[in-house]
Amino acid sequence: MLPEAIRWNGNSIEILDQRKLPDVVEYINCTNVELLANAIETLAVRGAPAIGIAAAWGVVLAFKQGESVKLSIERLRVTRPTAVNLFWALDRMASASDYEQEARRIQSEDVENNRKIGAYGEKYLPKESVVITHCNAGALATGGWGTALGIVRSAREAGKNVKIFACETRPLFQGARLTAWELEQDGFDVTLICDNMAAYLMSKRKIDAVIVGADRIAANGDTANKIGTYSLAVNANAHGIPFIVAAPRSTFDLSIPNGSAIPIEERSESEIRRLPGGQTVPIRIKAWNPAFDVTPFELISAIITEDGEYEPK
Amino acid sequence: MLPEAIRWNGNSIEILDQRKLPDVVEYINCTNVELLANAIETLAVRGAPAIGIAAAWGVVLAFKQGESVKLSIERLRVTRPTAVNLFWALDRMASASDYEQEARRIQSEDVENNRKIGAYGEKYLPKESVVITHCNAGALATGGWGTALGIVRSAREAGKNVKIFACETRPLFQGARLTAWELEQDGFDVTLICDNMAAYLMSKRKIDAVIVGADRIAANGDTANKIGTYSLAVNANAHGIPFIVAAPRSTFDLSIPNGSAIPIEERSESEIRRLPGGQTVPIRIKAWNPAFDVTPFELISAIITEDGEYEPK
């Protein structure tokens, strides 16, 4: 069963409150643009494509209520700085003649695009595959189907057997709370790991691909995505594992030559200092919990003991 | 002020309960070997050298109480599988003639060794340094002073200014709960990060060294340490940053040719599924919380969009 992140009910926008998942499946009813902007800012809805779709419906809502479309677009533009799909969707809405039709198109095209991404991407996966993913680039982050998780779904449709390791994604646990839950609901074999375990996992068993989504892609291909993606990419490359980014073309920002110009949102320190407590995933979801890992000597500059320095290399 | 992890009071072993730090500073009074074994198993005391010291005092306790020294050693040997210092300390105790003197020596020699490690290791750090560390290899993990953190302390004694980024160390947050607290108590400039942020930090600012402790070092230098260490090592190497292991010689296990033979403890899945809640560090401790990072195109095998695959490389 695929969760629906955003629903337009004719009068207001229903947003699946992703802050409460997986414990509670509850929709917030956004009856005005400020409530929607708030839902985006506080991550009730998140994921680059989903943010764009939600913002598009926000413009419809403003128009229906006789509010200024221009001011609504301005308000929605300042909700999150990094994902470029937000600005792309708002730009489309700004030049649309029929707002409702345009929002509906943005949403349905996103699902179609996810399906195409899935069809292209699943070719990277062998019949029996093991994939590592980070954060949530699934149905919850899109109009449905998903980008990174769309590839996994399309591979299953093509008759392949895909096992997924979901990195929990500190500090907000989107990998645990959203991806592990979304995949488990959809009948996949998913195992939760802490972010710092992915490299050790790559060294211990065959991983066919690391697949992630994207929040903004510069003209040269440099890709901004959830914190921790870069570490996975370095590690995937060190282990000779394909590192695959799955994203609609609306994620590209050709005005930016490379990644150094992508604005990176810095969030509150309290997200790291304070833990929400309780279950991040239901106890029926598998987890892998090695307490230690092994670092090969080639990677160690010096081992310093009371007798002096050894240089294993 | 240096915390004291283990105190022998003449009749029993007082163990600083590291499960309750930093909220509560409280000692458990281990009045028999079973209570001590339990304290080791449940991580009230942890850190390879500290486990060895605690176990040594356990043998003293058994002897004083007229219990079988041999059975006590057998019991303590099965508390944790990975750290070799435990077995090294118990072997020393098994062949000692004066148990109390031997335990006292194991503890005081550990502090002396930490000082020597600090003196050797601090030479790797420039006058103004930025260091990343993982888990806790500090006073809390040793007889005092610390191994990885001992280097940082010795650098300060030598007049250097060291700023430390502490990786929080999922799943049990020893970096947040222990290292950030220990360094802050000791007047250091410490900033907490999530484990998955270290690679991005390396790409954004000059890091002088990654310094970690060790639980067991094979004959060839392969090093077992807290999960997440390997990921840091791969990333440090990719960024040309010295990756330094600080450990007493008792951490070497020359009977093991390489890391593949080191037994890795697998712990309960619930440590990942369930969060303790509340503060992991007091709000006065700094944290750095970028929500995204940038992955350079060279590391990306393919970007898959609805139009097909791009290969940025």
Side-chain angles (χ1 to χ4, degrees):
Chain A
M1 185 224 44
L2 281 184
E4 237 182 328
I6 302 152
R7 294 195 297 225
W8 170 251
N9 65 19
N11 295 300
S12 61
I13 308 163
E14 293 168 9
I15 296 286
L16 177 57
D17 191 347
Q18 300 193 29
R19 299 165 304 186
K20 294 189 176 165
L21 288 175
D23 293 337
V24 179
V25 180
E26 191 178 281
Y27 283 81
I28 303 168
N29 195 11
C30 296
T31 52
N32 63 54
V33 170
E34 188 52 35
L35 284 173
L36 177 70
N38 237 280
I40 296 174
E41 284 166 347
T42 61
L43 313 186
V45 58
R46 30 61 53 201
I51 292 171
I53 292 164
W57 284 115
V59 175
V60 178
L61 185 62
F63 176 73
K64 285 233 171 194
Q65 295 182 338
E67 302 279 335
S68 159
V69 164
K70 192 162 167 292
L71 286 179
S72 299
I73 289 177
E74 278 172 26
R75 172 68 186 95
L76 290 162
R77 284 185 88 85
V78 296
T79 47
R80 301 282 307 273
T82 302
V84 78
N85 317 59
L86 172 66
F87 312 114
W88 167 86
L90 289 171
D91 288 346
R92 269 184 71 164
M93 293 304 289
S95 56
S97 50
D98 181 331
Y99 294 123
E100 187 164 340
Q101 191 183 54
E102 190 69 2
R104 204 173 296 284
R105 272 193 194 143
I106 288 173
Q107 181 153 9
S108 63
E109 284 171 17
D110 188 61
V111 180
E112 288 162 32
N113 290 339
N114 284 184
R115 285 280 189 172
K116 289 180 189 162
I117 290 168
Y120 285 117
E122 68 91 3
K123 293 173 201 148
Y124 283 81
L125 299 181
K127 187 107 179 57
E128 297 286 330
S129 302
V130 183
V131 165
I132 295 175
T133 190
H134 190 61
C135 197
N136 175 271
L140 289 167
T142 61
W145 202 245
T147 50
L149 299 190
I151 290 177
V152 164
R153 288 196 167 96
S154 296
R156 181 170 65 178
E157 272 196 350
K160 296 174 183 177
N161 183 27
V162 187
K163 184 177 161 64
I164 302 107
F165 282 89
C167 295
E168 65 176 7
T169 316
R170 277 284 282 153
L172 295 177
F173 298 101
Q174 294 94 335
R177 293 189 303 103
L178 307 179
T179 293
W181 178 77
E182 176 181 330
L183 289 175
E184 189 251 355
Q185 292 285 305
D186 202 15
F188 279 98
D189 179 344
V190 60
T191 302
L192 180 65
I193 57 173
C194 297
D195 303 323
N196 66 20
M197 296 169 183
Y200 186 54
L201 176 64
M202 294 177 194
S203 78
K204 295 294 282 184
R205 62 178 289 175
K206 191 177 167 298
I207 303 295
D208 296 290
V210 175
I211 311 181
V212 298
D215 286 80
R216 193 184 303 210
I217 305 175
N220 72 340
D222 288 357
T223 295
N225 191 45
K226 175 58 30 74
I227 187 74
T229 301
Y230 174 54
S231 180
L232 278 177
V234 171
N235 276 300
N237 275 261
H239 292 86
I241 297 167
F243 180 83
I244 295 169
V245 172
R249 278 191 51 209
S250 54
T251 315
F252 275 89
D253 181 355
L254 299 177
S255 75
I256 284 184
N258 61 58
S260 67
I262 300 176
I264 298 296
E265 178 181 9
E266 298 218 356
R267 297 181 55 85
S268 165
E269 295 174 64
S270 64
E271 290 181 351
I272 299 182
R273 291 191 196 117
R274 197 171 172 78
L275 293 174
Q279 297 288 139
T280 54
V281 294
I283 59 165
R284 63 182 181 272
I285 290 179
K286 283 185 292 185
W288 181 55
N289 186 16
F292 303 91
D293 56 26
V294 175
T295 299
F297 68 88
E298 303 93 349
L299 297 176
I300 300 173
S301 311
I303 299 176
I304 300 175
T305 76
E306 64 272 28
D307 295 333
E309 296 101 301
Y310 299 79
E311 290 181 15
K313 272 182 256 198
Chain B
M1 185 224 43
L2 283 183
E4 238 182 326
I6 302 151
R7 294 196 297 226
W8 170 252
N9 66 18
N11 294 301
S12 61
I13 307 163
E14 292 168 10
I15 296 287
L16 176 58
D17 191 346
Q18 300 192 30
R19 298 165 305 187
K20 295 189 176 166
L21 289 175
D23 293 337
V24 178
V25 180
E26 191 177 279
Y27 283 81
I28 302 167
N29 195 12
C30 296
T31 51
N32 62 55
V33 170
E34 188 52 36
L35 285 173
L36 176 70
N38 237 281
I40 296 173
E41 282 166 350
T42 61
L43 312 186
V45 58
R46 30 61 56 200
I51 291 171
I53 293 164
W57 284 114
V59 175
V60 177
L61 185 60
F63 176 72
K64 284 232 174 195
Q65 294 181 338
E67 303 279 335
S68 159
V69 163
K70 192 163 167 292
L71 286 178
S72 301
I73 288 177
E74 277 173 27
R75 172 68 187 93
L76 290 163
R77 283 186 88 87
V78 295
T79 47
R80 301 283 307 275
T82 303
V84 78
N85 317 59
L86 171 65
F87 313 114
W88 167 86
L90 289 171
D91 288 345
R92 267 185 72 166
M93 294 304 288
S95 56
S97 51
D98 181 331
Y99 294 121
E100 186 164 342
Q101 191 184 54
E102 190 69 2
R104 204 172 296 284
R105 272 192 191 144
I106 287 173
Q107 181 152 10
S108 63
E109 284 172 17
D110 187 62
V111 180
E112 287 163 33
N113 290 340
N114 284 185
R115 285 283 189 169
K116 288 180 190 165
I117 290 168
Y120 285 116
E122 69 90 2
K123 292 174 200 150
Y124 283 81
L125 300 180
K127 188 106 180 56
E128 297 287 330
S129 303
V130 183
V131 165
I132 295 175
T133 191
H134 190 61
C135 195
N136 175 270
L140 289 167
T142 60
W145 202 247
T147 51
L149 300 190
I151 291 176
V152 164
R153 288 195 166 98
S154 295
R156 180 169 67 178
E157 272 196 350
K160 296 174 182 176
N161 183 28
V162 187
K163 186 177 161 63
I164 302 107
F165 283 90
C167 295
E168 65 176 7
T169 317
R170 276 286 282 155
L172 295 177
F173 298 101
Q174 294 94 335
R177 295 189 304 101
L178 306 179
T179 293
W181 177 78
E182 175 181 330
L183 289 174
E184 189 251 355
Q185 292 284 305
D186 201 16
F188 278 97
D189 180 344
V190 61
T191 303
L192 181 64
I193 57 173
C194 297
D195 303 324
N196 65 20
M197 297 170 183
Y200 186 54
L201 176 64
M202 293 178 194
S203 78
K204 296 294 280 183
R205 63 178 288 178
K206 193 179 164 296
I207 302 295
D208 297 289
V210 175
I211 311 181
V212 298
D215 286 81
R216 194 185 301 210
I217 305 176
N220 71 340
D222 288 356
T223 294
N225 191 45
K226 176 55 32 74
I227 186 75
T229 301
Y230 174 54
S231 180
L232 278 177
V234 171
N235 276 300
N237 276 260
H239 291 85
I241 296 168
F243 180 83
I244 295 169
V245 172
R249 279 191 52 207
S250 54
T251 315
F252 276 89
D253 180 355
L254 300 177
S255 75
I256 284 182
N258 61 59
S260 67
I262 299 176
I264 298 295
E265 178 180 10
E266 298 217 356
R267 297 181 56 85
S268 166
E269 295 174 64
S270 64
E271 289 180 352
I272 298 182
R273 291 192 196 116
R274 196 173 172 75
L275 293 173
Q279 296 289 138
T280 52
V281 295
I283 58 165
R284 64 182 182 273
I285 290 178
K286 281 186 292 187
W288 181 55
N289 187 15
F292 303 91
D293 56 27
V294 175
T295 299
F297 69 88
E298 303 94 348
L299 296 177
I300 300 173
S301 310
I303 299 177
I304 300 175
T305 76
E306 63 272 29
D307 295 333
E309 297 103 302
Y310 299 80
E311 290 182 16
K313 273 182 256 198

